Amino acid sequence: METVAQLAPLEDACTVVIVRDGEAGLETLMLERPATSRSFGGVWVFPGGKVDPEDRLDAAGTAVDDLAAARAAGLRELAEETGQALGVEELVWLSQWTPRQAIPRRFRTWFMLAPASPEPIVLNPDEHERFTWLAPSRVLELHAKGDMKLVPPTWVTLHNLDGAASVEQAISDAKARAVFAYNTHLLVPSGGNQPDGVLWAGDEAYPDQAGGGTVPGARHRLTTKSLPWVFERTEH
C-alpha cells in the first residue's frame, strides 16, 4: 500500500447522477467519453467535473464551504455537458469518493443524485460522444459482457441504485441513507504486484481501521480482475 506521503494533493470534483422514470422503471443518464480522451477514454460516466475557483464563491462573492462549492460545480458541469438545468435544492448527496493510491492527480469527488429536467440532452462534443438512458441493472449487464466500460465509483453507484423502482424511491432512499465516504485502497493479493480490485472501510484487508481493525473475513470490496466484477459487503 502507498503511504500518505506519496499521495498527490487532493483536488475537488462533483458528479451528478441524473435519473428519470422510464417505461420499465428507473433509468440513469450515461455519457460515453471519447476513445481518444486522455482521461477515461471510452468509459461511460455520469456528468460532472472539477470544482473551479468561481464555484467557491456565492453570488455576493462570499466564500462557501466545500460541499456548497461541489454542488455549484456539479450544476455548472451538468449544464455544460448535457444542457440539463437544475436547482441546488434538487441535488441529493449520495457519496464521496477519494482515491488513496499514488496516481498523478487525485480528485475528492462528491456524487449527487437528481431528477432529470424536461430539457433534451445536448452533448458537448468535446466532452462526450454519445449518451443513453438505461436501467442501472442493464448498464451493469452490458459491463459484465464487456460492452460498456465503467470505473469502480460508477459501477458501485449503479449497483446501489439497482432495485429502486422510480425516481421518487431512489431519491427517498438516498435521503434516508447515511452518506458513505469511499476512501479507496487497492486490493493487492499477498505476494502479488497487480491489484485484484479496490476496497473500503469495513473490509478485513482495509488498512488503518479505526478502533484497531475489523471482523475477520469481513468484506467491503469490488473485485475487478475479470468480468463480471464482483461486489461484496458484509453487514454487521
Side-chain angles (χ1 to χ4, degrees):
M1 288 293 177
E2 292 84 3
T3 65
V4 172
Q6 295 173 301
L7 299 182
L10 278 176
E11 302 174 69
D12 288 337
C14 184
T15 289
V16 183
V17 184
I18 297 297
V19 291
R20 73 177 187 183
D21 291 319
E23 292 183 2
L26 185 75
E27 295 178 338
T28 60
L29 176 63
M30 305 298 302
L31 312 178
E32 185 182 30
R33 295 280 292 161
T36 55
S37 175
R38 289 185 298 174
S39 60
F40 304 115
V43 174
W44 287 85
V45 298
F46 304 121
K50 67 184 183 70
V51 175
D52 288 342
E54 58 266 30
D55 298 319
R56 298 190 179 280
L57 303 174
D58 64 16
T62 303
V64 300
D65 61 24
D66 289 341
L67 177 57
R71 292 181 188 273
L75 292 174
R76 175 180 52 76
E77 291 282 349
L78 177 67
E80 292 174 359
E81 293 179 357
T82 70
Q84 291 273 293
L86 298 178
V88 66
E89 72 283 352
E90 297 177 271
L91 299 179
V92 179
W93 187 11
L94 277 180
S95 57
Q96 188 180 74
W97 292 79
T98 306
R100 300 291 300 169
Q101 57 266 30
I103 51 181
R105 296 183 71 180
R106 293 194 308 136
F107 287 93
R108 178 178 60 167
T109 305
W110 281 260
F111 273 57
M112 304 288 173
L113 179 69
S117 70
E119 291 90 1
I121 302 300
V122 180
L123 294 183
N124 179 339
D126 293 330
E127 295 276 358
H128 304 99
E129 289 187 335
R130 293 187 291 167
F131 76 90
T132 187
W133 292 94
L134 290 174
S137 60
R138 180 58 177 159
V139 181
L140 296 176
E141 178 184 336
L142 291 170
H143 175 264
K145 294 177 179 179
D147 294 333
M148 291 184 80
K149 292 182 179 180
L150 301 174
V151 291
T154 306
W155 195 102
V156 172
T157 301
L158 290 165
H159 173 83
N160 290 339
L161 284 174
D162 189 18
S166 65
V167 171
E168 181 180 7
Q169 182 184 349
I171 290 177
S172 176
D173 290 349
K175 288 180 177 179
R177 189 183 303 121
V179 173
F180 188 83
Y182 289 88
N183 295 306
T184 304
H185 284 266
L186 296 178
L187 173 61
V188 181
S190 178
N193 294 319
Q194 297 299 317
D196 285 346
V198 291
L199 50 82
W200 306 282
D203 194 282
E204 67 169 356
Y206 190 82
D208 305 322
Q209 295 277 352
T214 189
V215 178
R219 292 287 186 268
H220 192 190
R221 62 178 65 181
L222 181 65
T223 303
T224 61
K225 62 181 179 180
S226 62
L227 295 175
W229 290 359
V230 178
F231 180 78
E232 299 174 89
R233 185 171 189 180
T234 306
E235 301 292 344
H236 294 286

